Amino acid sequence: MYLYNSATHKKEEFKTHTPGHVEMYTCGPTVYHFAHIGNLRSYIMEDVLEKYLRYAGYDVNRVMNITDVGHLTSDADEGEDKMLKGAKREHKTVMEIAKYYTDAFFEDCRKLNIKRPDVVQPATGLIDDYIKIITKLIDTGYAYLAGGNVYFDTSKLKRYYIFNDHNEEDLAVGVREGVEEDTNKRNKNDFVLWFTKSKFEDQALKWDSPWGVGYPGWHIECSGISMKYNGEYLDLHCGGVDNAFPHHTNEIAQSESYLGHPWCPHWCHVAHLNTDHGKMSKSKGEFLTVSLLEEKGYDPLAYRFFCLQSHYRKSLVFTWENLDNATVAYNKLLSKIAALKDEGEVDRAAFDEYKAKFMAAMDNDLNTSMAVTVLYDVLKAKTNDKTKLALLDSFDTVLGLKLLEKAAALRAKQAELRTTVQSLAEQSKLMQGTDSDASIGDIPTASADKDNAQNGDEATENADSGNQNDSQNQDDGKDDKSAAQDYSNKDRTPQSDKTEIDNNIRDAKELINDGNIDDAKALIKVLRSRNLTADQEKQVDRLEAQLISISD
């Protein structure tokens, strides 16, 4: 496997300290607020990387921290403590905030099918380990006390900048917005290992230490947690590209100075998720969460699919239109899989051929976009459905899209909706007293001339994929025209008719979104025979126009 190494700026063959075993560390969230989908892009890609390493035969020990102390609003050890900021915002204690947002983070991970790491360690749980590391750094001359705080002395290093070459002017105090000069530092790149009360008199979390009551700096936690659970030799360190400097740079400085030997040879950074206005950021107050995506009707796995369509080292631009396109593609993929029949025997030659193609894509710097292409190649392959299902199931242990599970649910839903369509068609015949066939066929074309269907915006409007209300069952006990009329006139009310029609319109939207075009046509044909309100007529016009657009 070849993986880009941020420390050497090139793709390299991935090698481990112990053959067949990977010690992997991924930076976790600072739990003062919800994770936004830009943060979660990194966790999705790290999840894919871990799963692929296991798929390729490695034994993986993945460790992740939870930052619940010491991370200031400026990564350069300045500003307010983020956890304290969150506690003030919500009038809760710091630990209540930490618990709430840690749980929220892992719930988002569950929705996105992100595997929980083997070890998850809150920063507050290893204070003694940090003190031990800091003590040795002071004793060996790599750290010093000033103004009550303990700082790492970067002038002691032969090389400080690891991931990119920084211009000295760019690091001058005042260039980075919101950064104030810390006069205790001997060098402007020095960073805090331990804060005391001299930093914040009202700090909520603090512990005794040889240097006074205080709390650890942000960077020391990852070194301490990794050394405890990964050992002295780390194979792979991952995180967002924004963590490369100063966070990961400082981790390397303090870890290798403490250990006395190289620490982690391979670094993997995931690029930003951007909006039309630039990088998504909590500090800007403009960030999107998984819950918001769900509220708007999106399946979180459609967002995962959206992320997999792009390479992890390329910035990804989020727009609702882009997510809509990914959702349509994801649903069509599920629809194709749902049509496969689990029959026959697996063709081992074909299986091995396409598995090799999938692994070639993933071995090439985790090229998930090419791996997704292999999914479509499998669906088009000249082999039986049993082999296709086996391949898709195999690949999905890495991609994490729940393809077979979602396809099975879709198949069941399609069967239920098909029954509903047939029931409605039969009732429509009885209520109209005709023998007209409401089975799958051409859409009536009269409405194509209507103004709403001619409107360019409405003709391209996507049906809402979020509503998943079950269709209301029709009373199928009436088997003649008079019974149907009795049902219509006595047991029904205008409001109940309207509610049922609204549900049928939503069913038609779902059928279109799922790629089940023939059944959507049949249901729309039935709807045309019903007494629609003006608004319902417009909605059906739009669905009809969308089907015409799809057919074209």
Side-chain angles (χ1 to χ4, degrees):
M1 178 183 185
Y2 282 80
L3 194 64
Y4 185 84
N5 188 350
S6 300
T8 61
H9 308 287
K10 61 183 179 180
K11 284 197 290 188
E12 295 179 346
E13 184 178 359
F14 179 66
K15 298 180 181 179
T16 61
H17 185 265
T18 302
H21 179 81
V22 181
E23 289 293 343
M24 180 178 181
Y25 187 90
T26 52
C27 282
T30 301
V31 284
Y32 75 107
H33 214 317
F34 293 109
H36 61 63
I37 61 173
N39 303 138
L40 291 163
R41 183 197 183 191
S42 293
Y43 296 112
I44 288 171
M45 301 313 299
E46 292 162 357
D47 177 65
V48 170
L49 176 54
E50 178 195 353
K51 287 173 177 174
Y52 182 67
L53 289 170
R54 295 181 188 277
Y55 187 85
Y58 286 100
D59 174 43
V60 181
N61 177 39
R62 181 182 171 196
V63 179
M64 186 178 78
N65 66 302
I66 296 290
T67 298
D68 54 359
V69 68
H71 191 177
L72 308 188
T73 50
S74 163
D75 291 348
D77 299 328
E78 301 296 335
E80 188 177 7
D81 186 296
K82 289 189 176 185
M83 295 303 301
L84 186 59
K85 181 179 179 181
K88 288 179 178 178
R89 181 187 65 240
E90 301 185 22
H91 306 290
K92 296 178 180 178
T93 68
V94 169
M95 296 316 294
E96 286 174 338
I97 287 290
K99 173 72 166 60
Y100 180 81
Y101 287 113
T102 297
D103 291 345
F105 170 76
F106 282 113
E107 177 61 14
D108 286 344
C109 288
R110 183 192 65 78
K111 293 174 181 177
L112 291 165
N113 200 21
I114 297 172
K115 175 184 173 293
R116 189 182 180 97
D118 302 285
V119 177
V120 176
Q121 176 63 60
T124 51
L126 291 183
I127 300 299
D128 288 343
D129 293 67
Y130 314 145
I131 291 174
K132 176 184 175 182
I133 295 170
I134 295 168
T135 299
K136 182 176 178 180
L137 291 173
I138 293 173
D139 291 344
T140 54
Y142 285 101
Y144 60 91
L145 279 72
N149 300 327
V150 182
Y151 296 86
F152 186 90
D153 188 349
T154 56
S155 69
K156 302 293 184 180
L157 303 174
K158 292 182 179 179
R159 183 188 178 200
Y160 173 61
Y161 300 121
I162 300 297
F163 301 109
N164 39 6
D165 296 326
H166 288 267
N167 188 315
E168 284 291 313
E169 294 297 320
D170 292 338
L171 292 168
V173 172
V175 171
R176 290 191 302 273
E177 183 178 354
V179 177
E180 301 175 357
E181 183 176 6
D182 185 344
T183 57
N184 293 319
K185 292 182 179 181
R186 295 177 183 173
N187 315 285
K188 57 175 164 284
N189 297 325
D190 292 354
F191 55 92
V192 178
L193 297 169
W194 186 270
F195 290 111
T196 69
K197 290 189 297 183
S198 64
K199 187 68 181 178
F200 297 121
E201 292 294 338
D202 61 345
Q203 176 64 21
L205 298 177
K206 44 186 175 284
W207 295 264
D208 288 329
S209 79
W211 319 287
V213 175
Y215 61 100
W218 175 37
H219 313 296
I220 195 66
E221 68 178 86
C222 287
S223 294
I225 292 170
S226 176
M227 289 179 198
K228 182 174 181 66
Y229 297 108
N230 294 119
E232 290 191 8
Y233 294 93
L234 183 63
D235 296 307
L236 179 61
H237 197 309
C238 304
V241 69
D242 52 331
N243 282 333
F245 183 85
H247 184 48
H248 292 164
T249 303
N250 292 346
E251 279 188 59
I252 294 171
Q254 64 199 10
S255 297
E256 295 191 350
S257 298
Y258 173 78
L259 293 169
H261 60 68
W263 176 47
C264 181
H266 215 117
W267 292 76
C268 180
H269 290 107
V270 181
H272 293 307
L273 178 75
N274 295 327
T275 66
D276 291 338
H277 306 293
K279 176 193 170 188
M280 192 173 293
S281 170
K282 293 188 184 76
S283 63
K284 295 179 181 179
E286 49 183 38
F287 66 96
L288 304 174
T289 63
V290 170
S291 295
L292 180 61
L293 297 186
E294 288 184 305
E295 288 172 12
K296 289 182 175 290
Y298 294 98
D299 185 336
L301 291 182
Y303 174 68
R304 183 178 177 112
F305 184 72
F306 169 69
C307 291
L308 297 185
Q309 289 178 309
S310 177
H311 195 273
Y312 76 92
R313 285 195 292 116
K314 293 183 178 179
S315 293
L316 183 58
V317 177
F318 177 88
T319 65
W320 293 112
E321 182 181 3
N322 288 344
L323 184 57
D324 284 338
N325 291 337
T327 297
V328 170
Y330 180 59
N331 287 337
K332 285 184 176 179
L333 177 62
L334 294 179
S335 184
K336 290 178 184 294
I337 297 170
L340 299 176
K341 300 184 183 301
D342 191 9
E343 299 172 354
E345 298 295 329
V346 173
D347 182 339
R348 295 311 308 180
F351 184 94
D352 292 343
E353 176 188 351
Y354 283 95
K355 180 178 178 180
K357 290 181 179 180
F358 177 78
M359 294 189 71
M362 297 298 290
D363 283 340
N364 183 17
D365 195 23
L366 212 68
N367 193 334
T368 54
S369 60
M370 186 58 67
V372 169
T373 299
V374 178
L375 290 179
Y376 291 99
D377 290 342
V378 166
L379 289 170
K380 294 183 293 185
K382 294 181 179 180
T383 187
N384 61 39
D385 287 0
K386 183 77 170 182
T387 304
K388 293 178 181 180
L389 288 169
L391 283 164
L392 296 168
D393 190 36
S394 175
F395 300 165
D396 204 33
T397 60
V398 176
L399 300 179
L401 296 169
K402 294 189 176 181
L403 296 174
L404 268 59
E405 177 184 329
K406 290 278 188 178
L410 175 60
R411 193 181 304 112
K413 184 175 73 172
Q414 288 174 341
E416 182 180 350
L417 288 175
R418 190 172 292 111
T419 299
T420 300
V421 171
Q422 292 170 349
S423 175
L424 287 170
E426 290 301 317
Q427 289 184 30
S428 179
K429 289 179 188 178
L430 292 173
M431 294 173 71
Q432 294 183 45
T434 69
D435 294 326
S436 60
D437 184 8
S439 62
I440 294 171
D442 295 332
I443 304 173
T445 57
S447 63
D449 295 329
K450 295 185 179 181
D451 290 341
N452 288 325
Q454 295 290 338
N455 183 286
D457 290 336
E458 292 182 345
T460 58
E461 180 176 332
N462 286 330
D464 180 3
S465 63
N467 296 319
Q468 298 186 358
N469 297 347
D470 294 330
S471 302
Q472 296 184 355
N473 292 325
Q474 299 286 330
D475 183 349
D476 56 4
K478 309 294 192 272
D479 57 3
D480 56 30
K481 178 179 177 181
S482 60
Q485 290 173 335
D486 182 66
Y487 169 80
S488 176
N489 296 332
K490 294 183 179 180
D491 297 337
R492 305 299 299 239
T493 65
Q495 183 58 41
S496 65
D497 264 343
K498 181 179 182 300
T499 300
E500 181 178 313
I501 291 170
D502 286 340
N503 286 337
N504 294 155
I505 290 172
R506 284 192 284 268
D507 289 340
K509 290 178 181 179
E510 285 190 30
L511 288 167
I512 293 172
N513 289 331
D514 293 339
N516 199 342
I517 304 305
D518 286 339
D519 283 350
K521 287 181 179 181
L523 183 52
I524 288 174
K525 193 169 186 178
V526 171
L527 284 167
R528 284 295 181 195
S529 70
R530 307 293 297 277
N531 292 323
L532 305 178
T533 65
D535 180 64
Q536 289 170 338
E537 190 83 30
K538 288 181 180 180
Q539 292 184 65
V540 174
D541 286 344
R542 290 171 184 152
L543 293 175
E544 199 169 70
Q546 188 178 358
L547 283 176
I548 293 171
S549 175
I550 291 172
S551 298
D552 293 342

